[in-house]
Amino acid sequence: MILPGATLGVLGGGQLGQMFSLAALRLGYGVLVLDPDPHCPAAAVASRHLCADYDDPAALAEMERSCAAVTTEFENVSAAALELLARYLPVRPAPNAVAMVQDRILEKGFLRDLDLATAPFAAIHAEGDLHAAWRSVGGPAILKRARFGYDGKGQAGVGDGDALASAWVAMGRAPAILEARIALRQELSVILARGEDGMMAFYPVAENIHRNGILDLSIVPARCSEAIQQEARRMAARIATALDYVGTMAVEYFVDEGGRLLVNEIAPRPHNSGHFTIDACVQSQFDQQVRALCGLPLGDTRLLSPVVMMNLLGDLWAEGEPDWSALFRHPQIKLHLYGKAEARPGRKMGHVHALAADSAQAMAVLEALRTDWGWPKG
């Protein structure tokens, strides 16, 4: 076990790194954040901030000297940097798990090998793959870059073979997957933690609503059958076990119109749809990240209150600072701002939680806030 008083390292200083840092500091650990942005959210709360690139040799050497263990807040860090650190100290999740999820082609192949259902897909490595991919998947479909896509970025809807070819060229002819567009009933996610001893703890399943490819709302408990929730947990457990995963992980799902559960993506880290755990559960997903990293027993994932999480995007700042007084008129709402200096459309600036006797009441509170702000309704 790594006990309080030690220093933990995290690659990435965004809001997830900030929330990890707060959880670790609360438990008595020091936190060293590596991030090239001098104004990253985690820099304001961490014990130390190394402002350097993720593969900077001097910065990595300092992490090796100073930290008892290292984790990451997002998957698009250098796998080589994680592998280098793993030679000298625990890195959780393991570099191979992060590297696999960095590449959608590898990720989809991994899920297929586990015999877990996904949307139909085909890999595109070169121009010669386009025709076969379209013939295999058909339309309507979505072209997704294999690497470095998130929040709807690096994706394009395509309706025929010509549109596919044009979209692939527009993406710089990078490796990609073509994925069938599913007629959706719902989108769900499961947050789990897995310790080094293989023990797992699951949070309640979240129901997610997206707007323009970005998560808008997470509703907990999810409005779906217990059978679907059990299947989602079972599939997530298979993924975590196959990866020999240690840490907090999210698995996102589609539920098609026939009620079939399909794995969409794996996130080897805490996830936006798990933020509800901060205010509505005994232990948050970030508490679990610290516990798993340090080899501590996992915490209680019990839901204390129904909750709805709503993201606050930079669009809300289009006409200046939002009217926070309108928010504070709703006593069931808890505000989390990340301290980002620049508000841009689509950028996650913070989130709120509405806690109530049931999710319908929590939704009503957020809809009232949207009305107060002139913000689009969910």
Side-chain angles (χ1 to χ4, degrees):
M1 288 185 185
I2 299 169
L3 297 176
T7 294
L8 307 178
V10 56
L11 274 70
Q15 62 264 26
L16 298 181
Q18 181 190 71
M19 288 180 260
F20 168 82
S21 298
L22 291 170
L25 291 165
R26 190 170 59 248
L27 289 172
Y29 295 92
V31 179
L32 177 59
V33 169
L34 173 59
D35 191 289
D37 180 0
H39 306 295
C40 66
V45 299
S47 309
R48 290 178 61 197
H49 172 212
L50 293 176
C51 187
D53 290 336
Y54 298 120
D55 55 1
D56 181 86
L60 294 174
E62 179 61 21
M63 291 198 89
E64 176 201 332
R65 286 191 296 268
S66 302
C67 298
V70 169
T71 190
T72 178
E73 70 137 15
F74 72 127
E75 53 268 38
N76 290 328
V77 297
S78 168
L82 294 176
E83 290 168 358
L84 176 64
L85 290 168
R87 297 176 192 171
Y88 307 103
L89 72 170
V91 173
R92 296 166 177 158
N96 66 307
V98 177
M100 188 275 291
V101 176
Q102 286 178 344
D103 189 309
R104 282 194 170 99
I105 296 173
L106 296 178
E107 180 185 30
K108 293 293 186 182
F110 167 78
L111 295 170
R112 180 186 55 212
D113 292 344
L114 285 179
D115 200 26
L116 296 178
T118 67
F121 71 93
I124 298 171
H125 296 278
E127 187 173 0
D129 298 327
L130 293 172
H131 179 69
W134 184 256
R135 190 175 57 214
S136 171
V137 174
I142 306 172
L143 181 68
K144 300 180 178 181
R145 286 181 62 105
R147 299 175 66 87
F148 306 119
Y150 65 96
D151 286 346
K153 298 178 177 66
Q155 301 184 16
V158 293
D160 56 40
D162 290 340
L164 170 60
S166 297
W168 184 68
V169 170
M171 288 183 185
R173 296 181 169 86
I177 64 164
L178 182 67
E179 182 176 286
R181 186 183 290 276
I182 301 298
L184 294 179
R185 177 192 294 179
Q186 275 182 316
E187 295 184 67
L188 306 174
S189 60
V190 168
I191 309 294
L192 69 87
R194 186 175 185 272
E196 61 180 346
D197 58 0
M199 296 296 292
M200 284 183 264
F202 294 86
Y203 287 98
V205 176
E207 176 186 353
N208 301 316
I209 298 172
H210 291 78
R211 186 190 300 274
N212 299 323
I214 302 173
L215 182 63
D216 182 29
L217 301 172
S218 289
I219 303 164
V220 183
R223 298 171 296 185
C224 62
S225 71
E226 181 58 31
I228 288 179
Q229 295 183 50
Q230 289 180 359
E231 178 68 1
R233 289 189 288 267
R234 184 192 69 81
M235 295 167 81
R238 286 193 64 192
I239 291 168
T241 300
L243 290 173
D244 195 20
Y245 192 87
V246 179
T248 298
M249 181 178 78
V251 182
E252 297 179 83
Y253 300 92
F254 297 139
V255 182
D256 70 15
E257 288 186 327
R260 188 181 185 211
L261 192 65
L262 308 172
V263 181
N264 177 27
E265 290 184 347
I266 305 164
R269 52 171 171 78
H271 192 260
N272 193 175
S273 68
H275 288 347
F276 74 90
T277 63
I278 298 171
D279 290 323
C281 292
V282 177
Q283 303 282 349
S284 77
Q285 62 172 344
F286 301 98
D287 294 329
Q288 299 284 43
Q289 187 182 18
V290 175
R291 285 169 172 264
L293 178 62
C294 294
L296 306 176
L298 299 179
D300 189 344
T301 58
R302 187 161 28 104
L303 186 68
L304 302 176
S305 170
V307 58
V308 179
M309 187 281 302
M310 181 175 74
N311 274 324
L312 304 180
L313 304 184
D315 312 62
L316 186 59
W317 278 254
E319 297 180 2
E321 194 72 14
D323 180 8
W324 299 120
S325 63
L327 181 148
F328 289 116
R329 286 196 290 270
H330 299 280
Q332 306 97 318
I333 291 179
K334 301 192 74 171
L335 173 65
H336 296 258
L337 291 176
Y338 306 148
K340 295 180 179 179
E342 182 185 1
R344 300 190 299 268
R347 191 183 197 195
K348 294 172 183 174
M349 301 294 292
H351 68 270
V352 297
H353 296 138
L355 295 92
D358 56 50
S359 58
Q361 292 183 41
M363 286 282 285
V365 170
L366 290 181
E367 294 298 353
L369 177 61
R370 288 183 190 265
T371 298
D372 291 344
W373 276 344
W375 187 244
K377 293 193 174 183

